[in-house]
Amino acid sequence: RHGAVAIAAITSCTNTSNPDVMVAAGLLARNAVQRGLQRNPAVKTSLAPGSAVVTAYLERAGLMPSLEALGFHLVGYGCTTCIGNSGPLAQPVADAIREHDLVVIAVLSGNRNFDGRIHPLVRGSYLASPPLVVAFALAGTVELDLLRQPLGRDPRGSPVYLKDLWPSAAEVREVVRRVVSPELFAARYRDVFTGDATWQTMPVSAEERFSWDPASTYVRQPPFFVDLAKEPHRPAGVEGARVLVWVGDSVTTDHISPAGAIPADSPAGRYLVEHGVKPVDFNTYGARRGNHEVMLRGTFANIRLRNRLAGDREGGWTRHLSSGELMTIYDAAVRYQQDGIPLMVIAGKEYGSGSSRDWAAKGPRLLGVRAVLAESFERIHRTNLIGMGVLPLQFLPGETAQTVGLDGTEVFDITGIEAGLRPGQQLAVRARKGGSPKTFQVIARLDIPIEVEYYRHGGILPYVVRQLVAKRGPNALP
């Protein structure tokens, strides 16, 4: 039913680095097991602390068996559910969600709960402390008052409330004092740079330069330095651009470049299948971020993206304006590139909020996006766009796409770039549709001189390469 908890995950190096909350989760699990409670069978549970020290002190405290009895088995150390590495739900649960269009929930002790990030089938995600993650795994739903309604019933049928299981602060402190020590950390990290047998026996080339494997589906040589001229070309204006994506407010970098599961019927999924990868081995966008072919196909592929050009269709879809066809954003971008048409993105406020994800700038650049026109930008994402040679343009105060009369189907020209840019300069945008074009002013969000220089070079990567060549000569780079 709606509000059911589908995922309960103690995850992320941030919260799991706090012994107090991890011990509290273990004590709550112990108390629940002693009362005869069980995890709701529809809930997928996992434990993924950021350090092996956590499981060491939980084992020393005798709390791991209780956590495991409720399904919180160790799945690894590091990023899991928080970045979308949730893995598949049980098939009956997944089928029920799809059949009844259910809004199910993930409760996790991680850092991020952006739309569509945790799992493709999970629409709601809530961040909670590790002991509360255990509590919601027992309850199986978020539609209850934890202070007044029971989490479950014991074998005798008596209600068991959160207050019956919650450990006291004194008990938590005593266990932490007894099991957490500097020696434990020293022992675990003494050989951290030595690595295990797998690391030590990994074949490594003796060459100084990385040997690209053209058959790899994980790491491929990116095209950022292809045909790089010794000197930058003077930035030209943008003529005849079409809108690839038009989004609203608070679009996150997860909407722009998802990190989670790769659907089999997506452009990235089809690419992997064509290269001999079975869907069970797809892994995630985050794991394959060394392959630009996967990542550019995953750009704007978040299943919760709402692109106004796609009407009511949710996900990575757009309308190819030249033909009127509805297609994936990737397929439309390829067709535009074949026709030599530059692209734009139109957005509302706080475009690029959330994680500082480099592929949220790299992906649009590789799709052919030359400029993003927004009401405002998240600070770091704005600089990332500049770093990839994408021009961030901002509506004047009080203006929006609607107030200047845009509908997204226009042909756009951005003029004034070719004359040279300076920080905070205003540029003219001409939107052509039918007989009379609309012209309005925007602010080029190149805020400081070095950002102007990065943009002039086509991004920070060409800028750095040219600086190295200028200082060390043409043999400075391979």
Side-chain angles (χ1 to χ4, degrees), residues 413-432:
D413 304 319
I414 305 169
T415 61
I417 300 173
E418 62 282 352
L421 293 170
R422 62 182 184 276
Q425 180 178 342
Q426 289 193 15
L427 300 174
V429 176
R430 182 169 58 247
R432 295 181 276 124

Side-chain angles (χ1 to χ4, degrees), residues 156-428:
R156 296 175 297 178
S158 301
V160 179
Y161 295 86
L162 180 63
K163 64 182 179 181
D164 301 327
L165 305 179
W166 197 268
S168 68
E171 184 178 15
V172 171
R173 284 195 300 269
E174 170 55 27
V175 174
V176 171
R177 183 197 63 78
R178 178 166 50 86
V179 302
V180 181
S181 66
E183 292 75 21
L184 188 62
F185 286 83
R188 289 286 173 172
Y189 287 105
R190 183 177 297 116
D191 299 319
V192 66
F193 294 111
T194 303
D196 59 12
T198 302
W199 176 262
Q200 293 175 8
T201 58
M202 183 182 300
V204 179
S205 171
E207 298 179 12
E208 292 184 0
R209 300 172 184 172
F210 184 78
S211 299
W212 300 98
D213 180 0
S216 175
T217 57
Y218 272 99
V219 181
R220 294 180 66 87
Q221 185 173 10
F224 301 127
F225 302 114
V226 174
D227 298 327
L228 181 63
K230 183 177 180 180
E231 296 293 334
H233 300 294
R234 190 178 189 87
V238 178
E239 295 183 4
R242 304 306 298 262
V243 176
L244 180 66
V245 174
W246 183 0
V247 291
D249 296 340
S250 301
V251 166
T252 71
T253 52
D254 270 88
H255 288 107
I256 304 167
S257 183
I262 302 174
D265 60 348
S266 68
R270 290 191 288 272
Y271 165 85
L272 290 172
V273 169
E274 291 168 2
H275 286 75
V277 181
K278 298 178 181 178
V280 70
D281 297 321
F282 276 3
N283 213 319
T284 63
Y285 287 111
R288 291 191 181 270
R289 59 180 174 260
N291 185 343
H292 63 280
E293 298 287 1
V294 171
M295 298 306 291
L296 68 92
R297 286 166 171 79
T299 301
F300 294 114
N302 187 300
I303 59 171
R304 301 287 174 246
L305 183 76
R306 299 306 298 263
N307 177 12
R308 296 186 186 186
L309 297 184
D312 294 331
R313 183 132 191 196
E314 196 174 45
W317 296 87
T318 195
R319 191 164 299 283
H320 180 253
L321 298 174
S322 302
S323 66
E325 295 178 56
L326 187 69
M327 60 183 67
T328 68
I329 290 171
Y330 168 75
D331 289 336
V334 169
R335 191 176 296 189
Y336 283 126
Q337 286 190 352
Q338 290 172 344
D339 295 336
I341 297 174
L343 299 174
M344 289 178 55
V345 171
I346 296 179
K349 300 179 181 66
E350 299 176 336
Y351 179 77
S353 58
S355 303
S356 173
R357 186 163 297 163
D358 58 344
W359 271 107
K362 291 177 179 176
R365 182 68 183 88
L366 292 179
L367 289 181
V369 172
R370 295 280 303 280
V372 177
L373 176 57
E375 294 175 45
S376 65
F377 291 88
E378 192 279 333
R379 175 180 57 86
I380 297 176
H381 184 64
R382 181 190 65 82
T383 61
N384 285 346
L385 288 172
I386 298 167
M388 290 310 302
V390 178
L391 184 61
L393 301 175
Q394 189 163 313
F395 288 101
L396 296 182
E399 292 188 349
T400 67
Q402 290 82 2
T403 63
V404 299
L406 303 180
D407 65 13
T409 65
E410 298 88 352
V411 177
F412 290 86
D413 304 319
I414 305 169
T415 61
I417 300 173
E418 62 282 352
L421 293 170
R422 62 182 184 276
Q425 180 178 342
Q426 289 193 15
L427 300 174

